[in-house]
Amino acid sequence: MPSQSSSEPWPVPDPPGERLTDPAIHHFLLARVAELCGLSRAKFPGSQPVSFNVSSIEEKLMKYDFWTCEKSDGQRLLIVIVVNSATEEQETWLLDRKEQFYKVSGLHFPYWESPDLPLRDTIIDGELVIDEDPKTKERTLRYYAFDCLVVNGMNVTGRPLLKRFGRLREWVVAPFERILKQIPEWRDELPFEVIVKKQELSYHIAQVLNVHIPSLLHGHDGIIFTNAESPYVFGTDENILKWKKPSENTIDFKLNLRFPPSPADPSEPDFYAKPVFLLSVWHGGSRGQDKYQFFDELEVDDDEWEKFKEMGQIDDTIVECFWDTERGAWRYFRHRNDKENGNHASVVQKVLASIEDGVEIETLLSKSDAIRAAWKAREQSRRGEQTPAPPQHRSSAPQQGPRGSVPPITPGPGAYPATTPGVMAGLRR
């Protein structure tokens, strides 16, 4: 976690694969993602957490069923799986928060009921991290999947996390693992491993802190609480809570450098001098017309400035910063090259509130028993209200999207529409 010490942040991996540069295909894929998710406009659909504060315990954890896990320190990416109607081959793309696509090879996701068929029209959510073996120092790229938006054309965002997580585990990752056991040579071709992220019930906070986090092979920067009963929300989700120690909360700002006048020519900046480091907050706006307002200055030591100069271009970049209570100043933690913009002004206000009115870990742990008691009471209440449901026949036919879901769109030049599944290319090679 970022702190007031000089500890180095864990490395954030770059997306593997080939970045998509064809504007026509990029437009199609982004539009296809939007249609599959039921969005009115094309954008990165990933949900974003809000900061944890004192009221989160009574208003959220005590009233609703939440799951919890550590917040991995990596790159947030969606995996988008489609079938190219021209080649009948499955294609796997990574979509980042900058709305860039990366085509990756070596991943084979079979349809869960018929392994000879490829999974199609599927979007899963997760974090790509670099795991490092503490003994050998060998590094492995792994994707920790934690949610599911669309499975085989079925939009599941309206279902509770409990159901979505089941689809992710049983319909996407489990068949993927089985096919690797059947064809072990495919494991050598993997661009990264795919793992379902382990979740705990919200009152098992100590399990996350004392068991999960110490055994991690990658960095982390807090704890995530996700409402197990709520649907998937595109953008900021009030039912996903990000907890950090109050002193370790961070904000992503835009950094701008202002150099003093040159002694030789006051009309020109002195690029050899140490500049003033300005931090600005994002107030929205369309791409290319983003609105930023000055917020504060970043305090940078001389040795930090020397490191900055080695980075090259850092003006007009996004930086993650923490508040140093001893210095009473914002300090640099790391660059966020994976982000198009800094935190929105509304998010900044919530993070500031978490810094001023945050929850220490001792307080959180002390509430575990009360959270468990409230959970059990809700469980007992639901059990008393439920009546047995009639058994439903389960069809063996491939599941289609619900009534009113988006049909495949008409392909244009260079497009990659996902239509009915074809034979997975090379499945039995």
Side-chain angles (χ1 to χ4, degrees):
M1 289 189 190
S3 67
Q4 296 175 20
S5 68
S6 59
S7 59
E8 293 294 325
W10 195 264
V12 175
D14 292 324
E18 180 182 355
R19 188 171 73 87
L20 178 62
T21 57
D22 187 308
I25 299 177
H26 180 272
H27 175 78
F28 172 82
L29 285 175
L30 200 58
R32 185 60 179 162
V33 167
E35 289 188 83
L36 289 171
C37 294
L39 293 170
S40 59
R41 68 180 183 88
K43 65 174 184 177
F44 178 79
S47 59
Q48 302 295 335
V50 298
S51 294
F52 197 98
N53 56 39
V54 172
S55 66
S56 299
I57 297 176
E58 296 296 331
E59 297 299 320
K60 298 291 186 178
L61 301 188
M62 293 290 290
K63 291 184 177 181
Y64 305 100
D65 296 352
F66 274 77
W67 289 358
T68 184
C69 63
E70 78 285 346
K71 186 180 182 300
S72 297
D73 200 359
Q75 173 142 198
R76 174 79 174 282
L77 295 166
L78 301 183
I79 293 181
V80 181
I81 305 166
V82 295
V83 169
N84 185 321
S85 62
T87 63
E88 292 192 339
E89 292 184 0
Q90 185 184 76
E91 296 182 350
T92 304
W93 299 84
L94 299 177
L95 174 60
D96 67 14
R97 283 184 285 201
K98 293 182 178 180
E99 299 176 2
Q100 294 294 327
F101 285 93
Y102 297 82
K103 187 176 183 180
V104 289
S105 59
L107 292 171
H108 306 276
F109 292 94
Y111 175 58
W112 64 92
E113 290 188 345
S114 301
D116 286 333
L117 296 177
L119 194 63
R120 66 179 181 87
D121 283 352
T122 296
I123 304 174
I124 63 177
D125 198 350
E127 196 94 14
L128 187 69
V129 307
I130 299 174
D131 276 347
E132 182 177 276
D133 187 298
K135 294 182 179 179
T136 66
K137 302 303 179 182
E138 180 180 357
R139 290 187 169 185
T140 304
L141 204 57
R142 291 191 174 99
Y143 183 88
Y144 287 85
F146 52 71
D147 212 330
C148 186
L149 289 73
V150 184
V151 187
N152 213 58
M154 181 190 301
N155 184 335
V156 296
T157 56
R159 303 193 179 198
L161 174 62
L162 180 66
K163 299 292 185 181
R164 300 196 309 270
F165 198 78
R167 301 288 193 274
L168 169 67
R169 186 179 54 214
E170 303 301 328
W171 291 3
V172 181
V173 179
F176 173 76
E177 293 173 343
R178 286 196 294 268
I179 205 69
L180 289 177
K181 291 181 180 178
Q182 295 173 20
I183 311 176
E185 59 268 26
W186 277 5
R187 188 172 293 278
D188 297 332
E189 301 175 4
L190 292 177
F192 48 80
E193 296 180 11
V194 180
I195 298 172
V196 176
K197 190 166 189 176
K198 186 172 178 58
Q199 304 279 343
E200 295 286 353
L201 305 184
S202 58
Y203 52 84
H204 288 156
I205 306 167
Q207 180 80 359
V208 175
L209 289 169
N210 301 327
V211 178
H212 292 196
I213 289 179
S215 63
L216 288 177
L217 301 179
H218 56 266
H220 69 95
D221 59 346
I223 299 174
I224 290 288
F225 294 90
T226 307
N227 191 316
E229 305 170 279
S230 65
Y232 192 97
V233 174
F234 307 113
T236 301
D237 186 352
E238 299 289 336
N239 284 312
I240 303 179
L241 312 173
K242 178 176 64 175
W243 176 89
K244 291 184 179 182
K245 292 181 181 180
S247 61
E248 295 178 347
N249 274 282
T250 59
I251 295 177
D252 298 330
F253 297 103
K254 174 167 279 192
L255 174 66
N256 290 111
L257 278 56
R258 294 294 180 265
F259 291 87
S262 170
D265 185 356
S267 64
E268 295 292 332
D270 183 2
F271 291 113
Y272 293 97
K274 183 179 175 181
V276 175
F277 302 86
L278 307 181
L279 300 175
S280 297
V281 171
W282 184 48
H283 286 258
S286 59
R287 182 171 296 182
Q289 297 179 332
D290 301 306
K291 298 177 182 178
Y292 280 88
Q293 291 184 11
F294 171 73
F295 179 79
D296 205 342
E297 291 187 15
L298 177 69
E299 184 172 306
V300 177
D301 296 335
D302 290 343
D303 58 338
E304 289 179 308
W305 170 230
E306 293 302 318
K307 293 180 180 179
F308 276 1
K309 288 192 285 187
E310 295 175 0
M311 294 180 185
Q313 173 63 29
I314 63 169
D315 186 38
D316 209 36
T317 57
I318 305 301
V319 292
E320 183 177 352
C321 306
F322 65 92
W323 178 253
D324 189 326
T325 55
E326 294 183 1
R327 294 197 185 192
W330 290 99
R331 303 299 308 284
Y332 171 85
F333 180 60
R334 63 178 171 182
H335 267 78
R336 295 306 303 261
N337 297 324
D338 59 319
K339 287 193 171 185
E340 188 91 45
N341 287 295
N343 291 136
H344 189 271
S346 59
V347 176
V348 171
Q349 290 303 317
K350 292 176 181 178
V351 176
L352 291 175
S354 290
I355 293 174
E356 297 176 1
D357 188 29
V359 178
E360 296 292 348
I361 190 59
E362 293 79 13
T363 301
L364 197 57
L365 288 170
S366 71
K367 295 292 184 178
S368 295
D369 289 343
I371 294 170
R372 182 182 186 277
W375 182 302
K376 294 300 181 181
R378 290 191 302 272
E379 199 173 64
Q380 185 65 33
S381 177
R382 288 193 294 263
R383 189 178 296 117
E385 295 172 358
Q386 288 177 349
T387 57
Q392 296 183 359
H393 175 70
R394 183 167 179 262
S395 171
S396 61
Q399 299 249 358
Q400 300 299 321
R403 182 173 298 177
S405 62
V406 183
I409 65 176
T410 304
Y416 284 71
T419 58
T420 54
V423 177
M424 183 180 288
L427 185 61
R428 298 301 179 195
R429 67 183 183 185

